[in-house]
Amino acid sequence: MKDILLNIEAIIFASTEGINLHDLRLVLQEALAIEITKEELEEFVEKIKQKYASDDQVFELHIINEQYQFLTKAVYHPSINQLQLHKEKRKLSQAGLETLAIIAYRQPITKLEVEQIRGVNCDYTIQRLLDKGMISIVGKADSIGKPLLYATSFEFMQHFGLRSTKELPQLKDIVAEENSIGEIVE
């Protein structure tokens, strides 16, 4: 009986968009090779609902549009909201990705060199990449004005799962002939 209860709980948990009673019953019967009535299944689901109603659980079992699913209790919504805001801050814009790619492949590189490649001002984008910890200042160039040199950071390596910049895809591997501009002249 406990095995059935735990399997029902696991199935509901794994159903990210919820599961209705009919599908839950079918999945359970196929998974455990058992026969279970709708009434028995409703009793099991009610036990699970009671289990998660206690104060020491962070989830509750809800029925939304006849779909059972686990949702975080309302008391934890401020924390979850903060997590979502934190994740949003970590997302990179298209300009951020382009700038980051240039820095990754040409590091160490100055802001002026990045701007010459991109063709636009990169002050804001470079500042955002610094704020996110994706790049860092690694020194100053020997050219006039001693501009700052930028390179990818440890955070960049972790984010993309790289041990070194040598693991970056080679440009020849990602530039395909069909991506070329203009016509081929023979």
Side-chain angles (χ1 to χ4, degrees):
M1 178 161 146
K2 185 173 180 168
D3 186 47
I4 295 171
L5 197 64
L6 292 174
N7 275 277
I8 293 169
E9 196 172 325
I11 293 166
I12 295 171
F13 185 77
S15 303
T16 55
E17 291 158 15
I19 187 167
N20 64 37
L21 208 55
H22 175 73
D23 290 342
L24 179 58
R25 185 172 169 228
L26 290 175
V27 170
L28 189 64
Q29 288 180 154
E30 288 178 31
L32 300 180
I34 60 167
E35 282 295 321
I36 187 166
T37 67
K38 182 181 175 190
E39 291 75 25
E40 290 172 324
L41 185 57
E42 286 173 339
E43 286 178 31
F44 282 121
V45 169
E46 186 56 37
K47 286 180 183 177
I48 293 170
K49 191 170 186 175
Q50 289 172 4
K51 172 185 171 183
Y52 282 92
S54 71
D55 289 339
D56 62 339
Q57 298 291 331
V58 296
F59 301 111
E60 354 181 61
L61 184 59
H62 283 271
I63 304 171
I64 299 172
N65 196 26
E66 297 182 20
Q67 304 277 324
Y68 289 93
Q69 67 184 133
F70 286 110
L71 298 175
T72 310
K73 291 183 177 177
V75 68
Y76 302 108
H77 288 181
S79 297
I80 301 302
N81 186 45
Q82 197 60 42
L83 173 65
Q84 295 302 327
L85 292 172
H86 180 71
K87 283 183 176 181
E88 285 298 316
K89 288 179 185 175
R90 294 187 59 146
K91 286 186 180 176
L92 294 173
S93 65
Q94 186 65 33
L97 285 171
E98 290 171 8
T99 304
L100 189 56
I102 292 167
I103 293 170
Y105 282 100
R106 297 277 183 102
Q107 61 188 314
I109 188 170
T110 66
K111 183 176 74 69
L112 178 62
E113 292 169 320
V114 172
E115 289 173 343
Q116 287 173 341
I117 293 169
R118 285 203 65 229
V120 295
N121 183 303
C122 294
D123 289 338
Y124 177 77
T125 307
I126 286 180
Q127 187 56 52
R128 294 288 297 149
L129 291 171
L130 284 167
D131 292 344
K132 291 176 187 286
M134 298 300 274
I135 62 171
S136 59
I137 299 169
V138 294
K140 292 185 176 190
D142 290 331
S143 59
I144 298 173
K146 302 274 186 201
L148 298 173
L149 289 170
Y150 299 98
T152 54
S153 66
F154 178 74
E155 176 73 23
F156 168 84
M157 303 302 254
Q158 274 191 317
H159 184 81
F160 291 101
L162 302 170
R163 284 177 275 177
S164 78
T165 54
K166 291 180 178 124
E167 291 184 349
L168 286 169
Q170 295 300 309
L171 292 177
K172 65 179 172 55
D173 296 337
I174 57 178
V175 176
E177 279 188 40
E178 62 267 7
N179 289 339
S180 63
I181 299 173
E183 295 179 21
I184 298 174
V185 179
E186 293 183 31

